[in-house]
Amino acid sequence: MKILICLSLLLVLAMSCNKKNDNIGTIKKLHKTYKNGEISECTHDGETVYSCGINAYDAGGTVYNKDGEIIGSCNYAWSTPDPICGELEDCEVIYRVDDNIWGQPHVDKYDLGD
């Protein structure tokens, strides 16, 4: 019985460490466009969204829904950003190119590669 409990706990632990994401197709699609930039996974009104930007000054950013459709533009330098830009919550950088203008470390949570 103890072995069964230990195996069950190990299975639960292994599943919780899994990097699986139901939106991996969308993330891979966004990576093709933003492999020289940054992708953050956020929530907006309880839905998963992606805030993306390229590794360039004054480039602005774009917000995509879970299907990879544009739902907002966040260019503060050249236009008025859409309201969604200030409404994103719980953002986590899931990809960031190495040697970037932000001086931040490389991130590749889902092993997208460069």
Side-chain angles (χ1 to χ4, degrees), residues 27-113:
I27 293 167
K28 287 181 178 181
K29 177 182 166 186
L30 293 172
H31 178 257
K32 287 180 183 178
T33 301
Y34 295 98
K35 65 180 165 183
N36 185 29
E38 182 177 81
I39 304 169
S40 293
E41 194 169 51
C42 307
T43 56
H44 181 261
D45 290 337
E47 299 290 327
T48 299
V49 297
Y50 299 93
S51 177
C52 306
I54 60 171
N55 186 30
Y57 293 103
D58 294 338
T62 305
V63 181
Y64 297 84
N65 66 13
K66 66 179 179 59
D67 298 319
E69 299 164 340
I70 294 174
I71 58 173
S73 176
C74 306
N75 192 328
Y76 293 87
W78 301 105
S79 64
T80 302
D82 291 330
I84 192 172
C85 303
E87 300 169 353
L88 302 178
E89 298 177 331
D90 304 320
C91 292
E92 175 190 4
V93 175
I94 60 171
Y95 177 81
R96 184 185 300 123
V97 67
D98 196 18
D99 192 27
N100 57 74
I101 63 170
W102 308 288
Q104 297 294 314
H106 173 72
V107 176
D108 193 356
K109 180 177 179 177
Y110 298 112
D111 299 320
L112 303 168

